[in-house]
Amino acid sequence: MAAGKAFPTSSLRAEGSYRKLSPTSRYPSMPRYPRGASAVASTDSGNDVEAPIMEDRRIAMFSVFGMTCSACAGSVEKAIKRLPGIHNAAVDVLNNHAQVIFHPKFVFEDQIRETIEDAGFEAVLIQEDSKELSILTCRLHIKGMTCTSCSTTVESAFKSVLGVQKAVVALATEEAEIHYDPKLVSTEQLMKEVNDTGFEAILISTGADRSKVHLKIEGVRSERSMRIIESSLQALHGIEEVDIDLVLNKFSVSYKPDQTGPRNFIEVIQSIGSRRFAATIYPEGGGREAHKREEIRQYHHSFLWSLVFTIPVFLTSMVFMYIPGINHVLDTKVINMLTIGVLIRWLLSTPVQFLIGHRFYSSSYKALRHGSANMDVLIALGTNAAYFYSLYSVLRASVSPNFESTDFFETSSMLISFILLGKYLEVLAKGKTSEAITNLMNLAPETAILLTLDECGNLSGESEIDSRLIQKNDVIKVIPGAKVACDGFVIWGQSHVNESMITGEARPVGKRKGSSVIGGTVNENGVLHVQATNVGSESALAQIVRLVESAQMAKAPVQKFADRISKYFVPFVIILSLSTWLVWFLAGKYDGYPKSWIPSSMDSFQLALQFGISVMVIACPCALGLATPTAVMVGTGVGASQGVLIKGGQALESSHKVNCIVFDKTGTLTTGKPIVVATRLLKNMVLREFYEYVASAEVLMPESPAAAITLAENHTSRLRLRFFSRQSH
């Protein structure tokens, strides 16, 4: 075997070399090396031969995450081959695998893994004996975070847990990504750590979810029925673990995809107990989406109720006082110097401060209990300072015949209302962060046509199924105009497939027996029979979705800097606010400024208090911690919706240094599809009749206006047409 010669990335040939895969076989694009004294090599002619491997060489298999095309695989392969002691390397972009033959005297597995990560991808070593991942990735939704200080606290809590290799908490998406050793820590322990920190964790996915499905069971009336279903599932060949959620009637099934799949699970469940049970795939992200909707509803509800109380407070303190007649009523004294206006403002602002604003007290308590201070601490301090000083003024006016009260009830209630409005707009924006990911996932079709083959391989029937129920080695029929439901390769038929979703190139790619296809791409003509190889989370489309999710989780360098100083931000603001109040109070007491600066309704203490509260209030909406993660979130989401994948905040931050951009025009700047922009008839003919010919032809040829016009010419020999087209931008 010649050093430096790459293994072929596909062992399929376009002409007649297709062999049907057995349920235990691997996708043929990944060469499989035996553990003995030989390995499969490739000669220049492409034939597989046996070549001896010396005993001092070892084979390592890595799972590589983040690859989206052959260019990614090529960059990983080149990076690995630059290392000393590398005999050969083969990277399979479809299966996310990299297989490396190396000399252990010169290089180690960790060095290879670090090299792959330096190339911009995530790599995990797969143990050859157990086939288990040494490091898993867990994603959690963190409920209750309000500022960067909260995310920093949660992130620090994760990093202190034994077995956690890496933890990233994103405030904008309210999610955490944890890389952990399953032998040392479990997802339950990670979620408990979040709860102990004062927040609530909702599990999104675990490292074992690549072969895990969640089923919703209907028709269950007792726990005994759930146990019967559990026993039936565990009896299936290929089942690894079954977890039950009795509250949601939910089953989480871990399985070996080469041996079984979700369609088998549903069939088994529905066959139990005279077919009185029904099973469906549990909605993806259902808990997370339900939480987002509930959070939006809560903030909207709280903001509307705050307006009900705050608007009268605002009117009585800043509008009605200038209207003759009404101001006389408001200035009417109730007890001593306590007026009706002050009493109304007190009664209306109290529910805003303590009932509607209860969430700020709760969040502040949790933060202070764990030794940190977040934005809610500033909100609670600022509004309480205004409210309780006003309450002191009310009580003193009610017992004093001479003291004229000056209250700040409108300050506390209006501040809470404005912050609730900001929170409502913020959760609305966060609710839209997953739109780009949802649009990507919608590229995959909802249904697929499953073909049933007999023992001789002949077609015996077909049925329409949910595309999420496709299993490895299933044969799927793809009709013209339909989307390919899964990654696989063609076993029958010829067609052209539009792969612009992956490649950005609008020109259709010819497919025939043995050609590989990618889920989500569009079959333009001809019928194809496709054998599934990568389904669910292993598909190329799912890899792109994970890439966008990881990009939204990534922190830009400037955000890391903001995170470091955010832990000191709230204490600094509190100290600055107290210092402001003290300086103005002392200046007023010792005549440090003219008495004319003090309004007639205030004294020097009240003026100083107003300045101190203002400093605290202005700092409440912390742009320092929210601006950068929001910019990264929006940038990566909008880019993905336009077909541009941005790998994190570092790429965005470095883009200002770019002085030259190279575009692949077709599919990037243009759609590559001609459209008719003007027509000109060269023969006397009614224009409406001409349009009818074109429209009737386009019904048969919907994929191309030009093809429709050509067909119209063929059917109407008396018609001559000149049409002008341009590429749509």
Side-chain angles (χ1 to χ4, degrees):
M1 186 190 309
K5 185 181 291 296
F7 289 107
T9 57
S10 176
S11 61
L12 290 177
R13 301 293 179 264
E15 294 289 347
S17 61
Y18 164 73
R19 59 182 179 84
K20 187 176 180 180
L21 294 180
S22 64
T24 59
S25 61
R26 294 164 55 84
Y27 185 65
S29 63
M30 188 69 206
R32 188 176 182 87
Y33 303 100
R35 298 182 190 175
S38 64
V40 177
S42 177
T43 63
D44 294 336
S45 62
N47 296 325
D48 293 338
V49 298
E50 297 292 321
I53 291 183
M54 297 171 57
E55 292 183 357
D56 61 343
R57 294 180 190 169
R58 293 174 58 183
I59 300 174
M61 181 77 76
F62 296 87
S63 280
V64 183
F65 302 101
M67 297 188 299
T68 58
C69 61
S70 58
C72 300
S75 62
V76 172
E77 190 171 313
K78 289 179 181 178
I80 295 173
K81 288 182 177 179
R82 291 192 188 103
L83 291 173
I86 298 297
H87 183 74
N88 217 323
V91 181
D92 180 10
V93 66
L94 291 181
N95 290 319
N96 286 335
H97 286 168
Q99 193 173 47
V100 184
I101 303 176
F102 64 99
H103 297 271
K105 294 181 180 179
F106 299 96
V107 67
F108 301 100
E109 289 90 340
D110 288 343
Q111 292 175 273
I112 300 174
R113 178 182 55 78
E114 291 173 0
T115 300
I116 297 175
E117 292 178 348
D118 291 341
F121 305 92
E122 293 185 17
V124 177
L125 176 65
I126 302 177
Q127 303 296 332
E128 285 291 319
D129 52 349
S130 62
K131 296 294 182 184
E132 293 180 356
L133 299 180
S134 57
I135 298 297
L136 298 182
T137 301
C138 171
R139 293 178 68 88
L140 301 175
H141 175 72
I142 311 297
K143 182 180 177 181
M145 295 191 300
T146 58
C147 64
T148 310
S149 178
C150 301
S151 61
T152 304
T153 301
V154 177
E155 194 170 296
S156 301
F158 281 135
K159 291 179 179 178
S160 64
V161 177
L162 180 64
V164 173
Q165 303 290 331
K166 178 184 176 183
V168 179
V169 179
L171 174 63
T173 58
E174 295 184 328
E175 291 183 4
E177 185 175 89
I178 308 102
H179 299 257
Y180 66 100
D181 187 345
K183 299 176 183 177
L184 300 176
V185 65
S186 64
T187 54
E188 289 76 13
Q189 291 173 290
L190 295 174
M191 295 175 67
K192 183 178 182 298
E193 190 68 29
V194 175
N195 296 332
D196 292 342
T197 312
F199 303 94
E200 183 180 345
I202 300 174
L203 182 64
I204 299 176
S205 64
T206 64
D209 281 349
R210 292 175 65 84
S211 299
K212 190 173 188 178
V213 65
H214 305 283
L215 302 175
K216 183 177 182 180
I217 312 299
E218 297 178 357
V220 177
R221 296 182 178 85
S222 64
E223 183 178 347
R224 179 175 176 272
S225 299
M226 297 286 281
R227 298 303 176 188
I228 292 175
I229 296 174
E230 179 185 12
S231 301
S232 301
L233 289 175
Q234 289 177 339
L236 284 175
H237 186 61
I239 294 293
E240 294 181 337
E241 186 180 2
V242 179
D243 295 326
I244 302 178
D245 189 331
L246 297 174
V247 177
L248 300 177
N249 286 346
K250 176 181 175 182
F251 279 82
S252 299
V253 185
S254 300
Y255 62 97
K256 297 178 180 178
D258 290 331
Q259 300 178 15
T260 187
R263 196 167 64 253
N264 296 342
F265 308 153
I266 293 177
E267 291 174 356
V268 168
I269 293 173
Q270 292 178 343
S271 65
I272 301 173
S274 302
R275 308 187 70 86
R276 61 189 178 91
F277 301 125
T280 56
I281 300 290
Y282 206 83
E284 296 181 3
R288 196 172 19 159
E289 294 301 323
H291 162 69
K292 286 182 180 179
R293 289 193 296 268
E294 177 63 20
E295 189 177 23
I296 292 173
R297 189 196 65 80
Q298 288 180 357
Y299 273 113
H300 183 254
H301 185 75
S302 298
F303 173 65
L304 291 181
W305 273 109
S306 69
L307 285 183
V308 171
F309 294 100
T310 301
I311 290 177
V313 172
F314 168 76
L315 293 176
T316 56
S317 62
M318 297 188 178
V319 178
F320 291 161
M321 59 184 296
Y322 298 107
I323 300 177
I326 298 180
N327 62 347
H328 178 72
V329 174
L330 295 177
D331 291 338
T332 302
K333 296 178 176 57
V334 180
I335 303 175
N336 290 328
M337 298 299 290
L338 178 62
T339 63
I340 293 178
V342 174
L343 184 61
I344 290 175
R345 290 194 290 273
W346 176 34
L347 295 176
L348 290 176
S349 62
T350 299
V352 177
Q353 183 71 33
F354 297 106
L355 297 180
I356 299 174
H358 170 73
R359 65 178 70 246
F360 302 118
Y361 290 94
S362 176
S363 178
S364 300
Y365 169 73
K366 292 177 181 178
L368 294 174
R369 189 182 65 179
H370 293 89
S372 64
N374 56 15
M375 291 300 112
D376 290 336
V377 173
L378 289 181
I379 297 171
L381 287 175
T383 57
N384 275 305
Y387 178 85
F388 282 106
Y389 175 78
S390 302
L391 180 60
Y392 158 77
S393 179
V394 167
L395 296 177
R396 185 175 175 184
S398 64
V399 297
S400 173
N402 301 318
F403 179 78
E404 292 186 5
S405 65
T406 302
D407 64 274
F408 298 106
F409 287 123
E410 76 282 353
T411 300
S412 64
S413 57
M414 290 179 66
L415 178 59
I416 290 176
S417 297
F418 279 125
I419 290 175
L420 286 174
L421 174 60
K423 292 284 187 182
Y424 173 63
L425 297 176
E426 182 182 330
V427 295
L428 276 179
K430 288 179 179 179
K432 295 179 180 179
T433 59
S434 59
E435 284 187 358
I437 295 176
T438 303
N439 293 336
L440 286 173
M441 297 179 67
N442 288 339
L443 291 175
E446 295 182 359
T447 61
I449 301 176
L450 176 67
L451 299 181
T452 305
L453 306 178
D454 57 21
E455 296 179 355
C456 299
N458 299 319
L459 180 64
S460 60
E462 63 180 51
S463 59
E464 188 174 13
I465 63 170
D466 190 323
S467 60
R468 293 176 296 177
L469 299 179
I470 298 176
Q471 301 175 184
K472 279 192 176 182
N473 299 311
D474 280 347
V475 178
I476 304 300
K477 178 181 177 181
V478 186
I479 61 176
K483 292 181 178 180
V484 181
C486 60
D487 295 354
F489 58 93
V490 179
I491 63 173
W492 180 87
Q494 293 186 4
S495 182
H496 287 81
V497 176
N498 187 337
E499 296 184 343
S500 58
M501 179 198 79
I502 298 293
T503 64
E505 183 60 53
R507 178 178 297 178
V509 180
K511 300 294 180 182
R512 57 172 57 185
K513 184 177 179 180
S515 301
S516 61
V517 292
I518 302 172
T521 56
V522 181
N523 180 27
E524 296 202 342
N525 45 38
V527 178
L528 296 176
H529 291 182
V530 176
Q531 183 164 352
T533 56
N534 296 320
V535 296
S537 59
E538 296 181 354
S539 65
L541 187 58
Q543 296 172 34
I544 296 176
V545 171
R546 287 200 300 269
L547 176 64
V548 176
E549 289 177 339
S550 298
Q552 291 188 344
M553 290 287 299
K555 291 186 178 181
V558 68
Q559 184 181 346
K560 295 178 181 178
F561 173 74
D563 288 348
R564 284 197 297 269
I565 65 175
S566 65
K567 63 177 68 176
Y568 309 107
F569 180 76
V570 174
F572 174 75
V573 169
I574 294 174
I575 294 174
L576 185 62
S577 177
L578 292 174
S579 301
T580 302
W581 169 80
L582 183 61
V583 168
W584 277 95
F585 175 70
L586 294 177
K589 187 174 183 178
Y590 295 103
D591 300 325
Y593 55 83
K595 296 293 184 182
S596 59
W597 288 12
I598 306 176
S600 58
S601 59
M602 295 185 182
D603 56 21
S604 60
F605 175 83
Q606 293 171 334
L607 182 66
L609 180 65
Q610 194 172 41
F611 282 124
I613 293 174
S614 299
V615 171
M616 199 174 299
V617 166
I618 290 172
C620 284
C622 178
L624 177 69
L626 291 176
T628 302
T630 303
V632 172
M633 172 191 69
V634 174
T636 54
V638 172
S641 65
Q642 299 298 321
V644 180
L645 299 181
I646 302 172
K647 297 186 68 174
Q650 186 170 0
L652 282 174
E653 186 173 340
S654 303
S655 61
H656 75 280
K657 301 177 182 178
V658 174
N659 53 24
C660 180
I661 301 177
V662 180
F663 289 100
D664 176 12
K665 182 177 73 69
T666 305
T668 304
L669 302 180
T670 64
T671 62
K673 296 181 179 179
I675 61 173
V676 177
V677 295
T679 60
R680 180 182 177 187
L681 292 176
L682 303 180
K683 187 175 181 179
N684 292 334
M685 184 179 184
V686 179
L687 190 62
R688 181 175 180 179
E689 183 180 352
F690 159 69
Y691 286 146
E692 289 177 355
Y693 282 123
V694 175
S696 61
E698 192 171 8
V699 171
L700 302 176
M701 302 289 289
E703 71 276 1
S704 172
I709 293 172
T710 302
L711 187 61
E713 285 183 317
N714 295 334
H715 283 272
T716 57
S717 57
R718 60 191 178 89
L719 173 65
R720 293 180 61 204
L721 168 70
R722 177 182 296 170
F723 71 95
F724 306 92
S725 66
R726 62 174 172 80
Q727 283 193 329
S728 56
H729 293 263

